[in-house]
Amino acid sequence: MTSATSTRATPEPGRRIRWADMGPFLALALVIVIGTLINSNFVSGTNIANVVTRSAFIAIIAVGATFVISSGCLDLSVGSMMAFVTGIMILTMNRLEPSMGANAILVGAAVGLVVGAACGLLNGLIVTLGKIEPFIVTLGTMGIFRALITWLSDGGSIPIARELRDPYRPVYFGNLFGVPLPVVITLIVVLAGAFILYRTKYGRRCMAAGSNSDVARFSGVSVAWVRTLAYVIQGLCVAIAAICYIPRLGAATPTTGALWELQVITAVVIGGTLLRGGKARIWGTVAGALILEVIANLMVMSNFVSEYLVAAVQGVIIILAMLAHRFIR
Amino acid sequence: MTLISRRALGLFSAASIMALSAGAALAQDKVTIAVSIPAATHGWTGGVVYHAEQAEKEIEAAFPNIDVIVKTSPSATAQVSALEDLSASQKLDALVILPFTSEELTGPVEQVKANGTFIAVVARGLTDPSIQDLYVAGDNIAVGANTAKWMAEKLGNEGKIVVLRGIPTVIDDERIQGFTDVMKGTNIEILDIQYANWNQDEAFKLMQDYLAKYPQIDAVWANDDDMLLGVLEAVKQSGRTDIKYALGGNGMKDVVKMVMDENPMTPVSTPYPPSMVKSAIYMVAGQFNGQAPMRGSFKLDAPLITPQNADQFWYPDSPF
């Protein structure tokens, strides 16, 4: 480990570092090649479109998680928060539908963004003002959000009003010049995230807070503010994911978004962002989200993995990907 | 900060002591039936909670001398603690329990019984059946078998089907076993069986993958109605016309409604009704009021829900 770090620290930013940055994309390419060899249906247009479209949720949330993680924190509550925001949005839309018609979707989406940002702000403030470990704080809010959606739905489901299904459906199933809409939305979120992270003062402060919070503080960076804002960005990303998610099945249930937090964190880390903070790779995060979804797809498309062992094979592939990542460095 | 929280704690414990003594006072002149069930964490358990609460209201209104206490628990360990709390604070005349797991709850239920409590077990049996006085359960094998018989007949014993299964549990195994045993006697080929964890999202993705993998699918069976909703969405998106039937199971109200409306793709369902907890509570109440003793094992059948009888299985106010 020490040798790896020292190699990286040598002042010769040549090929090595580029290769390391390429890691997640090479892994993605490899998984796709394997997929093509296993089953020719894998590369069919429909299958590729399905897989890319459904990875949108994890990718969008993971963009927010890249901010939180690179600033030196963690958010375990995103899956539950997603379910909670989804529930609130559907309830709002259903309440407004009789008076506003399809416009209720727009108001509902706006309410979702506000609620998402507020949930993120709550996490951020408890972490920074309360000075409590992010792991524990977000473990607590994870339970809170999950319980709230269960309570709102009485343990059943909250379906969206029939009248709103058709006008809202294109947000998941529609496309823009042949590109599925959720993919377009993901691209916009990723571009915005990349701009903020790589091109603004805030992005650099995020890295500073994550790599060494004491040094950052001494150089005049308000670490608390940077981290709180990262959680708000995370909350907004969760809300955007929720906006794309609702038209897919048209309901929120207590199992909506279950365990997504783990997929999100895995996607971020596979993508090359350091779990301890200080280094962020937004595009890598997207590759990570795609890798997870492609692997899950391959498990079904291939015939040689027993249904009982699917999770084990997925685990092995993820660990192998991370090991390869380290050795390429 | 500590002072405030300590005060809050003090208040809280005072309140709970008052609640406990109030419960004890009531128990002296009333028959107490405790109901211990899993918390509403997904559709089916949500239905269990709904029906238990309905039974509580109806029975307490009909028989003023009977007090029904419904207690939900989010896990097996929490359920064990709930049993201890319930039996420590009052004398229980009867306990109706839907155990989280058979192994972990057998001992604790046995201890409750040692105090002379009448034990009714619902849905999931205990490891030692001699503990229970009454056992009410659905038939998971029949859920699979009855669906398979209907499907095989409609397909004329020919065709290719895919199956989505739930969370690895006995319930899931029995449904799959009932289904595959019937299908073995036909020329129907089961192309694939994979887990989708009784989750709509996962079922949606799995069905998309099945559709990409197999060019010809005649019918789909999702062994739970929650998953069926995900399956239907994926089929609708694909625009494929080869799928003749997509069936579920459990009797979720949305799906029972589809059956009522004679949906061509989902014309039947099979019940594994959460209302069985209500049947059990009523049976126990009969024991203490009308002196209508009920002991033994009752296996509720899983008859097909068809447009003709769907109204009997439809609970529009239930969350499930």
Side-chain angles (χ1 to χ4, degrees):
Chain A
M1 232 163 46
T2 1
S3 68
T5 332
S6 56
T7 338
R8 227 158 35 89
T10 46
E12 193 208 338
R15 272 166 181 249
R16 270 168 187 273
I17 290 172
R18 289 241 173 81
W19 273 113
D21 290 348
M22 290 303 290
F25 304 101
L26 292 177
L28 179 60
L30 186 69
V31 181
I32 291 175
V33 170
I34 295 173
T36 318
L37 295 177
I38 287 177
N39 190 327
S40 56
N41 288 332
F42 173 76
V43 278
S44 73
T46 337
N47 190 50
I48 296 287
N50 283 345
V51 174
V52 175
T53 310
R54 67 200 188 193
S55 67
F57 311 129
I58 297 292
I60 293 173
I61 299 176
V63 167
T66 310
F67 281 86
V68 171
I69 291 175
S70 63
S71 75
C73 295
L74 193 69
D75 192 344
L76 293 176
S77 71
V78 288
S80 306
M81 191 196 290
M82 154 90 194
F84 175 61
V85 173
T86 309
I88 296 283
M89 280 172 64
I90 295 182
L91 288 174
T92 312
M93 290 175 190
N94 289 356
R95 181 70 56 82
L96 295 177
E97 193 277 330
S99 56
M100 302 181 64
N103 286 335
I105 296 170
L106 295 175
V107 181
V111 169
L113 289 171
V114 172
V115 173
C119 291
L121 185 65
L122 177 75
N123 275 335
L125 289 179
I126 303 175
V127 167
T128 53
L129 294 185
K131 297 198 169 55
I132 308 174
E133 279 295 320
F135 188 97
I136 295 300
V137 172
T138 55
L139 193 64
T141 50
M142 169 171 123
I144 295 171
F145 295 140
R146 183 62 65 193
L148 287 175
I149 180 68
T150 311
W151 176 66
L152 287 175
S153 64
D154 291 327
S157 73
I158 309 178
I160 193 166
R162 292 246 155 252
E163 297 73 21
L164 291 177
R165 285 208 175 200
D166 283 332
Y168 200 173
R169 208 176 138 80
V171 176
Y172 184 82
F173 293 101
N175 58 64
L176 188 72
F177 307 120
V179 184
L181 262 183
V183 178
V184 175
I185 295 172
T186 311
L187 279 176
I188 295 172
V189 171
V190 174
L191 285 171
F195 177 78
I196 296 173
L197 205 52
Y198 301 138
R199 299 264 178 259
T200 66
K201 216 179 267 178
Y202 173 73
R204 284 190 291 278
R205 286 180 177 163
C206 236
M207 295 312 117
S211 51
N212 192 327
S213 60
D214 288 333
V215 172
R217 206 170 286 122
F218 293 142
S219 12
V221 174
S222 166
V223 174
W225 161 247
V226 167
R227 289 183 171 165
T228 308
L229 197 56
Y231 275 106
V232 173
I233 294 174
Q234 172 72 88
L236 284 171
C237 288
V238 167
I240 296 171
I243 292 171
C244 305
Y245 171 85
I246 295 174
R248 181 160 95 175
L249 294 172
T253 73
T255 53
T256 298
L259 297 180
W260 282 17
E261 56 277 352
L262 296 183
Q263 288 194 50
V264 165
I265 294 170
T266 316
V268 171
V269 176
I270 289 184
T273 299
L274 287 179
L275 194 50
R276 60 170 184 272
K279 185 185 152 196
R281 293 278 174 267
I282 288 264
W283 289 100
T285 294
V286 179
L290 281 169
I291 291 174
L292 289 183
E293 207 60 67
V294 170
I295 293 175
N297 178 245
L298 278 184
M299 290 299 116
V300 182
M301 301 295 278
S302 69
N303 283 321
F304 46 78
V305 179
S306 150
E307 79 223 60
Y308 302 108
L309 285 174
V310 166
V313 177
Q314 283 173 317
V316 168
I317 295 178
I318 289 166
I319 291 173
L320 282 179
M322 292 310 292
L323 283 176
H325 204 199
R326 178 158 301 284
F327 285 116
I328 287 174
R329 257 176 219 160
Chain B
M1 193 94 148
T2 14
L3 197 72
I4 293 171
S5 57
R6 246 185 230 159
R7 246 185 229 162
L9 208 71
L11 255 173
F12 179 69
S13 51
S16 51
I17 288 169
M18 268 164 62
L20 280 182
S21 47
L26 277 176
Q28 281 164 5
D29 45 334
K30 272 195 170 187
V31 172
T32 306
I33 300 176
V35 180
S36 172
I37 48 179
T41 49
H42 62 269
W44 194 80
T45 45
V48 170
V49 175
Y50 168 82
H51 286 292
E53 283 172 351
Q54 291 295 310
E56 176 183 6
K57 271 187 220 141
E58 292 166 17
I59 286 174
E60 285 179 350
F63 313 119
N65 65 319
I66 294 183
D67 184 25
V68 179
I69 304 168
V70 176
K71 191 106 183 160
T72 64
S73 313
S75 69
T77 11
Q79 196 173 26
V80 173
S81 314
L83 286 187
E84 286 167 3
D85 297 347
L86 279 168
S87 52
S89 56
Q90 63 222 300
K91 167 147 180 23
L92 299 181
D93 296 283
L95 170 69
V96 178
I97 181 166
L98 200 165
F100 244 96
T101 56
S102 311
E103 295 77 15
E104 287 162 284
L105 267 304
T106 299
V109 173
E110 196 169 14
Q111 276 167 15
V112 175
K113 189 188 172 72
N115 300 329
T117 303
F118 182 89
I119 306 288
V121 178
V122 184
R124 211 166 291 151
L126 299 172
T127 325
D128 178 4
S130 70
I131 298 170
Q132 70 218 12
D133 296 292
L134 179 66
Y135 178 57
V136 181
D139 188 345
N140 277 307
I141 293 193
V143 169
N146 290 346
T147 312
K149 279 176 203 151
W150 186 90
M151 193 183 267
E153 193 196 314
K154 287 286 166 179
L155 293 177
N157 285 336
E158 298 280 343
K160 292 176 176 169
I161 60 171
V162 289
V163 175
L164 294 87
R165 63 191 301 183
I167 293 171
T169 49
V170 179
I171 302 171
D172 182 66
D173 289 342
E174 286 184 349
R175 285 186 193 176
I176 295 293
Q177 187 205 332
F179 187 85
T180 46
D181 281 354
V182 170
M183 285 303 180
K184 267 177 204 150
T186 68
N187 289 328
I188 292 173
E189 184 190 353
I190 300 179
L191 295 169
D192 223 324
I193 301 183
Q194 299 271 351
Y195 287 104
N197 298 320
W198 287 323
N199 179 309
Q200 272 185 33
D201 279 303
E202 291 182 37
F204 173 82
K205 292 191 199 179
L206 181 54
M207 193 61 213
Q208 275 193 334
D209 291 347
Y210 279 162
L211 288 165
K213 188 175 177 185
Y214 303 108
Q216 170 72 34
I217 298 173
D218 293 303
V220 193
W221 183 49
N223 77 9
D224 162 88
D225 284 338
D226 248 324
M227 293 198 293
L228 178 64
L229 296 183
V231 166
L232 291 173
E233 203 58 52
V235 173
K236 183 177 171 191
Q237 178 216 7
S238 73
R240 291 254 297 253
T241 50
D242 49 327
I243 295 113
K244 298 184 195 74
Y245 300 108
L247 303 182
N250 259 8
M252 181 189 204
K253 66 172 176 184
D254 312 56
V255 175
V256 174
K257 187 78 177 59
M258 286 163 63
V259 173
M260 277 169 122
D261 298 342
E262 307 193 20
N263 184 301
M265 198 177 269
T266 311
V268 296
S269 184
T270 339
Y272 189 80
S275 59
M276 65 179 72
V277 73
K278 192 176 187 181
S279 310
I281 299 173
Y282 264 91
M283 286 182 185
V284 172
Q287 184 96 10
F288 291 99
N289 196 74
Q291 232 194 346
M294 291 289 271
R295 274 156 216 262
S297 295
F298 298 87
K299 198 170 222 180
L300 304 178
D301 206 358
L304 284 181
I305 303 177
T306 59
Q308 286 74 41
N309 67 5
D311 54 329
Q312 296 167 27
F313 297 92
W314 195 48
Y315 300 94
D317 299 328
S318 165
F320 184 68

